[in-house]
Amino acid sequence: MDAIDEKIVTELSRNARISHAELANRVLLSRNAVRQRIERLEREGHIAGYTIVRSGDGTGEGVVSALVLVYRQDRMRGGDVLAALKRIPEVVICEILSGEFDIMVRIEAPSLERVRTIWEDVAQMPGVRDTVTALTLSRVVNRLRGGRSSAAGS
């Protein structure tokens, strides 16, 4: 990524709905050049996905969040668990951890009942030895960071 790509990502982070024409004016390129750069940034994983936030006030109300810490039966051959987690739409973060737990999963669902159903599904997956779940009571910091591919290695 060069300096212009960084400016494009910064502007898109401020307002993902900005038009290519407006973005082109801000980074001093043609509209077509901006479009091509955005497409390349997407292909390279610097821009990965677009987010829809349903709560009107940004507080996250109406969404139940939970962290599920997963112990796998076999850390080295646990790819099936990761593949299954990737297929659950409410899983917004899935990270492999060092230390006591193997995987950390963040779930954002419309109801506590849906969180419970997902937790039961995860706990019953072949290859999962145990889980520990914590519900999010409030969000103190919410820094969105760009440039991380949701299809990162497993």
Side-chain angles (χ1 to χ4, degrees):
M1 279 189 22
D2 64 14
I4 294 173
D5 290 340
E6 291 286 348
K7 287 180 185 177
I8 289 171
V9 170
T10 298
E11 290 296 329
L12 288 171
S13 296
R14 287 186 189 129
N15 178 8
R17 295 184 55 152
I18 190 172
S19 71
H20 286 171
E22 177 64 25
L23 186 54
N25 286 335
R26 291 187 185 185
V27 298
L28 305 175
L29 289 177
S30 71
R31 187 173 61 194
N32 191 43
V34 165
R35 182 188 53 80
Q36 290 174 348
R37 281 179 178 257
I38 290 172
E39 288 172 357
R40 180 180 46 78
L41 289 166
E42 289 172 341
R43 279 192 313 274
E44 293 175 354
H46 298 290
I47 298 173
Y50 297 87
T51 302
I52 297 172
V53 178
R54 290 185 170 220
S55 60
D57 59 4
T59 64
E61 289 184 29
V63 174
V64 179
S65 297
L67 294 178
V68 180
L69 299 167
V70 179
Y71 292 98
R72 289 185 287 182
Q73 290 174 352
D74 186 340
R75 281 185 164 184
M76 302 312 290
R77 291 185 291 268
D80 291 345
V81 173
L82 296 173
L85 290 168
K86 289 178 184 178
R87 290 190 297 269
I88 300 170
E90 293 88 353
V91 171
V92 296
I93 297 174
C94 178
E95 297 179 326
I96 298 172
L97 305 175
S98 65
E100 185 177 352
F101 300 101
D102 299 318
I103 302 170
M104 189 277 304
V105 179
R106 181 178 182 92
I107 298 169
E108 292 187 358
S111 68
L112 188 55
E113 179 64 25
R114 181 63 183 143
V115 170
R116 186 186 62 77
T117 300
I118 294 168
W119 166 74
E120 287 176 346
D121 292 346
V122 171
Q124 294 175 8
M125 287 179 184
V128 171
R129 183 169 41 98
D130 198 6
T131 63
V132 174
T133 303
L135 293 175
T136 302
L137 300 177
S138 65
R139 186 171 292 167
V140 177
V141 176
N142 185 21
R143 293 186 183 110
L144 301 176
R145 306 277 181 168
R148 293 178 60 182
S149 173
S150 61
S154 41

